[in-house]
Amino acid sequence: EDQVTQSPEALRLQEGESSSLNCSYTVSGLRGLFWYRQDPGKGPEFLFTLYSAGEEKEKERLKATLTKKESFLHITAPKPEDSATYLCAVQTWYGNKLVFGAGTILRVKS
Amino acid sequence: GAVVSQHPSWVICKSGTSVKIECRSLDFQATTMFWYRQFPKQSLMLMATSNEGSKATYEQGVEKDKFLINHASLTLSTLTVTSAHPEDSSFYICSAGFRGGQETQYFGPGTRLLVL
């Protein structure tokens, strides 16, 4: 069974304090790994798609990396507006649906 | 680009009534649309996958007769919650995938349903 585990469940950072979120996965054949950001009461907002081990993508203060077993979302010098729930999801070659992790709730305090 | 809308954003209804939620891809044609349900402080749970012009594929445990899905065009899918009950109260979110290749799903803003 395909599984996605995110850690930590919650993370509190001071503004400017860099950190990383982890997404470990067990799938039969990875087609793509997706990172989304979700604000309370809203739908997830697409951030990145990673397709193969060693791939990296960046957007502003966020950088996503991928290995054969896990992905990291690195947040550099976060700001309060980065506070949100970050969701990781995998898609396999056996179907086009996404399997989501439980998410990491990030709070950045000024 | 890749904007998905949902309507309505909020709905309150009486127990026993039916509620229809629309999901539209505004600037692209969606190969597939997905419907999710999210309970407070939980992650997204896939309910069904819908392809234009064909029957939806429901996840295990999701009642087909209760959650009716219609995918009439490449830009519109609807979810109808029939004979809604308080336990159906939830946050319903749709997503749409680009046609072809390695699909990224883009999500709508969600619909909050409250059944009294």
Side-chain angles (χ1 to χ4, degrees):
Chain A
E1 184 181 345
D2 301 325
Q3 287 192 332
V4 179
T5 303
Q6 291 188 244
S7 61
E9 290 184 11
L11 181 62
R12 292 190 176 191
L13 299 174
Q14 286 294 124
E15 184 172 3
E17 179 186 4
S18 301
S19 188
S20 296
L21 313 182
N22 177 264
C23 171
S24 61
Y25 61 91
T26 306
V27 296
S28 48
L30 182 70
R31 186 181 187 189
L33 184 141
F34 300 80
W35 282 98
Y36 290 87
R37 168 195 169 126
Q38 186 176 26
D39 293 303
K42 297 187 178 180
E45 174 190 347
F46 171 70
L47 294 175
F48 304 109
T49 309
L50 301 167
Y51 297 111
S52 57
E55 189 175 1
E56 298 182 352
K57 288 192 176 174
E58 288 188 65
K59 179 182 179 180
E60 296 180 353
R61 294 178 293 281
L62 301 176
K63 179 181 177 180
T65 62
L66 180 66
T67 72
K68 289 186 177 180
K69 294 183 178 181
E70 58 190 350
S71 176
F72 290 94
L73 184 65
H74 306 278
I75 302 177
T76 302
K79 297 182 178 182
E81 53 262 42
D82 295 322
S83 298
T85 297
Y86 289 85
L87 298 168
C88 170
V90 296
Q91 186 180 62
T92 72
W93 287 105
Y94 303 98
N96 56 2
K97 65 181 183 181
L98 295 178
V99 177
F100 279 89
T104 293
I105 302 171
L106 174 66
R107 292 288 176 262
V108 182
K109 290 190 174 182
S110 58
Chain B
V3 179
V4 178
S5 70
Q6 276 184 248
H7 178 80
S9 55
W10 249 107
V11 58
I12 302 173
C13 68
K14 292 182 179 180
S15 185
T17 61
S18 293
V19 174
K20 180 185 283 188
I21 302 170
E22 288 188 351
C23 176
R24 293 180 185 272
S25 56
L26 298 184
D27 53 0
F28 67 98
Q29 291 186 329
T31 310
T32 310
M33 287 186 169
F34 304 83
W35 286 95
Y36 294 83
R37 186 173 179 176
Q38 188 175 34
F39 291 105
K41 298 187 178 181
Q42 292 188 24
S43 193
L44 283 75
M45 181 187 78
L46 180 65
M47 299 174 66
T49 302
S50 103
N51 293 289
E52 184 258 343
S54 62
K55 290 184 178 180
T57 302
Y58 291 81
E59 294 298 301
Q60 193 172 7
V62 177
E63 297 177 61
K64 300 178 184 182
D65 295 332
K66 181 160 192 64
F67 299 101
L68 300 179
I69 292 172
N70 182 275
H71 195 156
S73 75
L74 285 171
T75 59
L76 173 64
S77 177
T78 60
L79 168 68
T80 301
V81 183
T82 62
S83 186
H85 291 286
E87 58 265 29
D88 298 323
S89 299
S90 190
F91 191 49
Y92 292 88
I93 314 173
C94 72
S95 71
F98 272 123
R99 175 186 289 277
Q102 291 164 310
E103 290 190 353
T104 295
Q105 289 184 30
Y106 293 90
F107 285 81
T111 296
R112 179 78 59 191
L113 170 63
L114 178 60
V115 185
L116 302 176

